[in-house]
Amino acid sequence: FMMTSTSLTGYDNELFVITHSNITLRKLAELKVESLAQQDPLTGLSNRRHFESHLEIEWHRSRRERTPISFIMIDIDHFKTINDQYGHAIGDMCLNAVASVVGSSARRSSDLAVRWGGEEFVLILANTGRQAAIEVANQIRLKVEQLKSPEFGNCTVSAGVSSVIPEGEDYDSFIKLADKALYSAKETGRNKVVSFSETGS
């Protein structure tokens, strides 16, 4: 409810008119717009705008509690070939199928599955160490490998993993490390998971 108070003039005593308005429908509409602004329209996963705000919250929480946070970057292998061979509509089916697998891996409220852009996805895993994140990435890879579609057949993904206990405010190097690991996975055969530590191993 919203309350407004309006004073009345022309009286010896101070008089006010107080009005209560039910703004439930307006608030629900605002929440829906806010939710849509944080979603990727094709896959329904979170978008990069939501990613930024969520990572900032979890990064600060991990730094405060001295717990690890992990980041998985996932890319569909040879996606351009799927688009070129079957068309963009079938390519979108492939994107949605992979998005469903990635999304189902974000099981806790602190986890977040994001469509990063194009055929790339990311997964934020709070309070999750490197080995556990590698296991999640491999589970995603295996589930995608087992997908069988009458439209696009089979597809595979490659993944890069980084994990850290935050020290400072800057998390760009954390993201770049996962991107570097993903590049290594793509360059060394695809359909695999690579993890780099801050030392690069």
Side-chain angles (χ1 to χ4, degrees):
F1 286 87
M2 180 174 67
M3 184 181 75
T4 57
S5 177
T6 307
S7 62
L8 296 177
T9 58
Y11 295 90
D12 293 335
N13 298 322
E14 286 189 82
L15 299 175
F16 299 88
V17 175
I18 297 176
T19 306
H20 291 271
S21 303
N22 188 332
I23 59 170
T24 303
L25 292 178
R26 191 179 85 184
K27 281 296 179 185
L28 288 172
E30 289 174 356
L31 288 172
K32 184 176 181 180
V33 169
E34 183 180 350
S35 176
L36 289 173
Q38 295 181 337
Q39 281 186 340
D40 171 62
L42 176 65
T43 64
L45 296 183
S46 294
N47 59 21
R48 290 182 71 158
R49 178 182 176 183
H50 189 196
F51 163 84
E52 290 285 348
S53 60
H54 185 87
L55 179 57
E56 185 173 355
I57 291 169
E58 294 304 328
W59 184 266
H60 289 156
R61 191 204 311 273
S62 291
R63 190 181 67 178
R64 184 174 64 251
E65 298 176 357
R66 302 298 299 155
T67 55
I69 183 170
S70 292
F71 185 73
I72 304 173
M73 184 170 282
I74 301 153
D75 185 86
I76 302 175
D77 297 326
H78 304 296
F79 183 72
K80 185 178 184 301
T81 302
I82 294 174
N83 263 342
D84 291 346
Q85 186 171 347
Y86 301 108
H88 289 281
I90 303 302
D92 286 350
M93 289 183 184
C94 179
L95 283 170
N96 276 309
V98 174
S100 179
V101 174
V102 176
S104 67
S105 300
R107 298 188 177 96
R108 304 167 301 176
S109 60
S110 57
D111 299 338
L112 189 71
V114 181
R115 185 182 178 197
W116 193 246
E119 66 272 24
E120 283 191 333
F121 303 88
V122 301
L123 194 60
I124 298 172
L125 300 173
N127 198 15
T128 302
R130 183 181 180 188
Q131 287 304 316
I134 291 172
E135 288 178 16
V136 171
N138 268 311
Q139 288 170 8
I140 291 171
R141 183 187 65 79
L142 291 171
K143 286 179 181 177
V144 171
E145 190 178 37
Q146 292 165 5
L147 289 175
K148 295 185 185 300
S149 166
E151 289 84 14
F152 59 80
N154 293 89
C155 69
T156 61
V157 296
S158 299
V161 177
S162 64
S163 183
V164 69
I165 297 177
E167 295 289 346
E169 295 285 339
D170 182 22
Y171 45 73
D172 284 346
S173 60
F174 170 65
I175 296 172
K176 289 176 180 176
L177 201 59
D179 188 47
K180 180 181 176 183
L182 172 61
Y183 181 80
S184 177
K186 303 286 279 188
E187 288 294 296
T188 56
R190 294 182 170 86
N191 191 23
K192 64 193 300 186
V193 174
V194 171
S195 173
F196 284 156
S197 68
E198 290 184 288
T199 59
S201 59

